[in-house]
Amino acid sequence: MAFTAMIAGAQLLGSPPVTTNLNDYLLVPLRVHLLSAKESPDISTTLTDKDIARILGKVNRVWAQAGLHFYLESLAQEEAANPELFLAHEGPAERFALLSLRPEETKASNLFHVYYLKQMTVNGIFLGEAIFVKDTASLREVEGGMDEPLPRVTSHELGHAFGLAHRQDKTNLMASGTTGIWLNEGEVRQVRARAKQFPWIEPASAVRQKADEWARTGKPREAEALYQRLAALAAAENGPERKPEPNAAKANEMIELTFASTKTYADPFNDVDLDVSFTAPDGRTVRVPAFWAGEQTWKARYASSKIGRHRYRTECSDKTNRSLHSLASVIEVNPYTGDNPFYLHGPIGVAADKKHFEHADGKPFLWLADTWWMGLCQRLSWPDDFKTLTADRVEKGFNVVQIVAGLYPDMPAFDGRGANEAGFPWTTNYSRVNPNYFDAADRRIAWLVESGIAPCIVGAWGYHLPWLGVEPMKKHWRYLVARYGAYPVFWCVAGEGLMPYYLSHTKSEDAAFQKKGWTEVAAYLRGIDPFHHPISIHPTDMARRQLEDAGLLDFDMLQTGHSDRASIPNTINLVRASRAAAPPMPTINAEVCYEGILDTCFDDLQRFMVWSCLLSGTAGHTYGANGIWQVNRRDAAYGKSPHGGNWGNTSWDDAMRLPGSRQVGLAKKFLERLGAWWELEPHPIRPLKFQSAKGSPARRCGFRRTTSSPPL
């Protein structure tokens, strides 16, 4: 389960206002009226003075972004005037009758008035002389929004009182009917300019000077009232009520923080980078990249096994943006009490023996992956298809899924078959990512994790690098790390790293460019991932050969062929070569003989491949079924590859039931029940030559070790 904390205005984490100097705050008098009417429940509010204190506190936290502070001049609990006139008007005419509810004795022209009543047709309204708010207001929730309606409606109507118009941006304070609370820079300037036109709105510095003067001239009571007003401002900014309660998360579970910018950027993805430094209770600090979430919003995701209070501070590339830069708060990480292995034992890393994987707490992890290269596209529908396939794989014992982050194989760029319900991962000119695409991908990735399956996220198929370019590909990977690094994932830098596009006329040049470029991208990925997830690259043969520096890898992926039994020699030879190579690292045969491909490679071969790899020392095995990797549908097969061929039209749900997937799952279960499988060493049977007792010709014999197998 992912926990989300919304950071918005001071309601959230006390983000800095337009000015952090208290002397520059503008102090605004506010008179609040709690209306009642005998035998008129539609007028009589049930709010109390404690409610008003809470509401006003949150109003001030919203308006802190503009350097405004509203102080309660007085609270009037009073009978409404002319209730019968108000009740007699309905629809649009109601708003004109609202002013008739105002008692004459509490009217004044040197402050703002807010009247609360029980019911009216709108949540709130500013009528020039006064603001009216119904205490039964309701709003549409938005990310980063206010946690209750009344402070937001009150703040919104005060915005109208300062001349602000409605806006379409749903996270903006002036959006109609939402919980949004943010103002942009232009609105902040407009409000402050308008506020300075009211003679009864004063800067805090002027109020302090007046208080000091009155104290010197024998007006101690008047001076004390002003000092108390200033003390309330200071307490709102620095006091205990402003200090946020820690956001709570469970150990190893992802927590998400949302940051909204009051400054508007024309190209947020390219104009701004946001990072968040988290310091754990043991003092260790990690720097986590945040990702652009659309509009003027950024998000950061974090997870830790360390129990206790974690502190964080933001760092924005635009250090003048005080709504993003140098924000600080805390997260409380509590013990995890469920049974998800990733949260219970921690994410996966490489064991000290460099032969197998293990959880953060040392529990061994036997990799069994399925191949869903195009699993994030809409052809595997969410939620029905995706959850169906996930449940089947969980039941059979799979614990990893190899899945591409939108830049797919076997198709040109921006092929409609690769879109999900929100389109493509990048705009068609590669100018920026499409956050809506990744929002849809988030649901799928999170579901895998919640189901006990670790996503092995492939950044892109290798031949996309010449199209996108090395620097944009780094931004692509930064985005993936920001979105998914807090999950228990494996990173796969690229798929078939050295393979040029199928129809390229410059294949040699492309392959050379890709080897150099993917090496640079892999080094960048290793440098920016604060969680240090295991890294590999899906190869044309062996991952070590795809990069200029094999030391950038944590495990060696192989691809050994799809030629049925003819692929057996290459499989054995590559596995043995990988296990003998330096530097040592776990080996995974990440692609071999998809079941059913070109009507070959069925379950007997799947059994042979999984056992030949595991018994030769691999850290697990990857299975694939033709029909799943490219997501064939019954009503729409994937179709032709760019080279014109077709791998087969078996639908994904029929491919899901091919027997090989259960057979490889049984192999994993056998080893896990056998005991300390990670301590086993490969011992190929070696024929021995000996002379028979009767002097007959020498014959070859092999030794076979017998063991009792545990029940499956």
Side-chain angles (χ1 to χ4, degrees):
M1 180 180 294
F3 290 83
T4 301
M6 301 303 177
I7 315 303
Q11 172 241 336
L12 309 162
L13 298 183
S15 48
V18 69
T19 173
T20 54
N21 187 336
L22 292 182
N23 285 330
D24 292 332
Y25 266 76
L26 301 175
L27 273 61
V28 186
L30 191 68
R31 182 174 295 176
V32 174
H33 307 256
L34 303 181
L35 295 178
S36 61
K38 294 177 181 178
E39 301 181 358
S40 297
D42 285 348
I43 294 177
S44 299
T45 182
T46 51
L47 296 177
T48 67
D49 55 349
K50 291 183 179 180
D51 293 321
I52 298 305
R54 183 190 73 255
I55 291 168
L56 188 57
K58 293 185 177 183
V59 166
N60 277 325
R61 294 173 192 177
V62 171
W63 282 102
Q65 63 190 305
L68 266 61
H69 179 81
F70 295 86
Y71 65 89
L72 186 63
E73 181 269 347
S74 61
L75 175 62
Q77 296 176 304
E78 55 191 355
E79 284 286 318
N82 308 305
E84 66 287 346
L85 181 61
F86 169 72
L87 296 173
H89 287 77
E90 297 180 356
E94 176 192 71
R95 65 187 60 188
F96 301 107
L98 282 167
L99 291 173
S100 68
L101 294 175
R102 302 175 67 204
E104 287 293 331
E105 55 270 23
T106 54
K107 291 182 180 179
S109 59
N110 59 345
L111 42 73
F112 286 130
H113 295 265
V114 177
Y115 292 81
Y116 291 97
L117 67 161
K118 179 59 66 177
Q119 293 288 352
M120 58 181 179
T121 56
V122 294
N123 285 326
I125 190 169
F126 169 63
L127 295 174
E129 301 173 43
I131 291 168
F132 290 84
V133 177
K134 69 175 181 182
D135 68 17
T136 55
S138 62
L139 299 170
R140 301 188 309 278
E141 292 185 5
V142 297
E143 289 186 335
M146 178 66 70
D147 60 356
E148 63 169 312
L150 290 182
R152 197 280 182 178
V153 174
T154 303
S155 298
H156 175 92
E157 299 305 331
L158 286 166
H160 286 313
F162 285 111
L164 296 182
H166 281 130
R167 282 178 54 84
Q168 296 301 313
D169 182 351
K170 62 185 178 182
T171 63
N172 190 276
L173 177 63
M174 302 314 296
S176 181
T178 77
T179 58
I181 62 172
W182 289 101
L183 298 172
N184 61 40
E185 285 187 323
E187 290 167 328
V188 168
R189 288 193 296 269
Q190 179 181 342
V191 166
R192 287 184 64 83
R194 181 73 180 92
K196 291 174 182 178
Q197 295 175 5
F198 292 98
W200 36 270
I201 295 179
E202 299 177 290
S205 57
V207 173
R208 182 175 300 280
Q209 290 175 0
K210 185 184 296 184
D212 292 343
E213 177 65 21
W214 282 354
R216 287 194 301 270
T217 57
K219 298 181 179 180
R221 183 175 299 178
E222 292 87 344
E224 180 61 24
L226 296 185
Y227 285 136
Q228 288 182 1
R229 193 174 301 166
L230 294 168
L233 167 61
E237 288 305 299
N238 304 310
E241 68 271 27
R242 184 60 179 270
K243 294 179 181 177
E245 290 297 317
N247 301 301
K250 299 288 183 64
N252 296 311
E253 287 189 333
M254 185 271 283
I255 184 169
E256 179 180 277
L257 308 176
T258 299
F259 304 90
S261 174
T262 60
K263 182 176 181 179
T264 300
Y265 297 96
D267 186 4
F269 176 69
N270 292 300
D271 289 349
V272 176
D273 281 336
L274 182 68
D275 294 288
V276 184
S277 291
F278 292 86
T279 301
D282 61 3
R284 179 173 176 264
T285 297
V286 296
R287 185 182 179 92
V288 176
F291 63 91
W292 174 55
E295 297 182 348
Q296 304 297 318
T297 301
W298 282 259
K299 295 182 179 182
R301 292 172 174 174
Y302 177 66
S304 176
S305 63
K306 303 297 183 183
I307 306 303
R309 182 162 291 194
H310 297 240
R311 301 188 179 276
Y312 71 81
R313 181 174 295 276
T314 64
E315 182 173 339
C316 182
S317 57
D318 179 2
K319 291 180 170 50
T320 66
N321 186 344
R322 294 183 176 180
S323 61
L324 293 181
H325 184 62
S326 199
L327 309 183
S329 190
V330 295
I331 291 171
E332 193 74 35
V333 175
N334 300 311
Y336 175 74
T337 56
D339 58 3
N340 185 301
F342 300 128
Y343 305 148
L344 191 62
H345 302 292
I348 312 302
V350 174
D353 65 5
K354 304 296 183 181
K355 297 177 182 179
H356 73 281
F357 298 108
E358 63 182 12
H359 289 272
D361 68 355
K363 180 179 175 60
F365 178 86
L366 181 55
W367 167 302
L368 183 62
D370 197 15
T371 306
W372 304 7
W373 294 139
M374 302 184 192
L376 297 181
C377 76
Q378 62 186 346
R379 288 177 294 109
L380 189 65
S381 70
W382 173 265
D384 295 344
D385 293 353
F386 196 93
K387 289 188 175 182
T388 296
L389 183 56
T390 301
D392 180 86
R393 273 20 193 175
V394 169
E395 188 272 330
K396 291 173 179 173
F398 288 86
N399 54 11
V400 179
V401 159
Q402 296 175 185
I403 196 164
V404 180
L407 303 177
Y408 291 128
D410 212 49
M411 63 172 66
F414 306 108
D415 186 304
R417 294 173 293 181
N420 70 13
E421 53 267 38
F424 297 106
W426 281 74
T427 57
T428 53
N429 61 355
Y430 293 117
S431 62
R432 64 184 64 86
V433 297
N434 173 9
N436 295 326
Y437 174 93
F438 288 100
D439 287 342
D442 283 357
R443 295 188 284 272
R444 295 160 166 89
I445 296 296
W447 183 256
L448 290 175
V449 172
E450 289 302 312
S451 301
I453 291 179
C456 177
I457 296 178
V458 184
W461 218 250
Y463 60 72
H464 285 265
L465 187 62
W467 297 341
L468 188 59
V470 172
E471 292 306 315
M473 189 62 76
K474 290 179 182 178
K475 293 179 74 71
H476 178 72
W477 260 112
R478 174 186 164 90
Y479 200 78
L480 295 179
V481 170
R483 281 226 181 224
Y484 305 122
Y487 288 113
V489 298
F490 296 88
W491 299 132
C492 181
V493 179
E496 293 184 315
L498 295 187
M499 189 188 79
Y501 183 58
Y502 313 91
L503 306 181
S504 171
H505 298 295
T506 56
K507 290 187 176 181
S508 297
E509 293 86 345
D510 289 350
F513 174 83
Q514 287 169 215
K515 186 168 190 175
K516 184 179 189 309
W518 284 122
T519 300
E520 189 174 337
V521 172
Y524 175 78
L525 169 59
R526 181 168 289 280
I528 65 164
D529 175 20
F531 303 102
H532 306 298
H533 296 298
I535 296 173
S536 190
I537 182 169
H538 175 270
T540 51
D541 52 3
M542 185 184 293
R544 299 171 184 270
R545 301 172 182 171
Q546 308 297 293
L547 304 179
E548 294 176 345
D549 180 4
L552 294 172
L553 304 177
D554 295 301
F555 64 106
D556 197 6
M557 280 184 153
L558 309 179
Q559 178 179 181
T560 62
H562 292 282
S563 300
D564 204 88
R565 285 163 178 77
S567 295
I568 292 174
N570 191 49
T571 298
I572 300 300
N573 290 335
L574 279 178
V575 169
R576 289 179 176 176
S578 174
R579 296 306 309 129
M585 62 183 75
T587 299
I588 294 293
N589 195 349
E591 182 175 339
V592 57
C593 293
Y594 293 153
E595 187 169 11
I597 192 168
L598 298 175
D599 203 30
T600 64
C601 307
F602 288 106
D603 55 316
D604 57 339
L605 188 70
Q606 301 305 317
R607 290 193 301 274
F608 185 92
M609 288 299 187
V610 68
W611 280 115
S612 63
C613 290
L614 290 173
L615 297 182
S616 296
T618 62
H621 189 71
T622 294
Y623 165 86
N626 192 64
I628 292 178
W629 70 266
Q630 74 274 55
V631 194
N632 281 326
R633 296 186 59 86
R634 292 178 188 274
D635 57 349
Y638 177 75
K640 292 183 178 181
S641 301
H643 49 67
N646 186 324
W647 300 107
N649 294 327
T650 304
S651 67
W652 72 266
D653 44 340
D654 284 339
M656 176 182 73
R657 299 180 182 92
L658 290 172
S661 59
R662 185 170 297 280
Q663 311 251 336
V664 298
L666 289 173
K668 171 174 174 282
K669 291 178 182 178
F670 179 91
L671 287 180
E672 288 178 328
R673 296 182 187 184
L674 189 63
W677 54 265
W678 58 93
E679 296 179 356
L680 297 176
E681 293 287 344
H683 289 284
I685 295 176
R686 301 183 184 277
L688 296 179
K689 186 182 293 186
F690 67 94
Q691 190 74 25
S692 70
K694 297 181 179 180
S696 59
R699 55 195 174 95
R700 295 178 182 272
C701 294
F703 290 95
R704 182 176 60 191
R705 186 176 180 182
T706 303
T707 181
S708 60
S709 61
L712 294 176

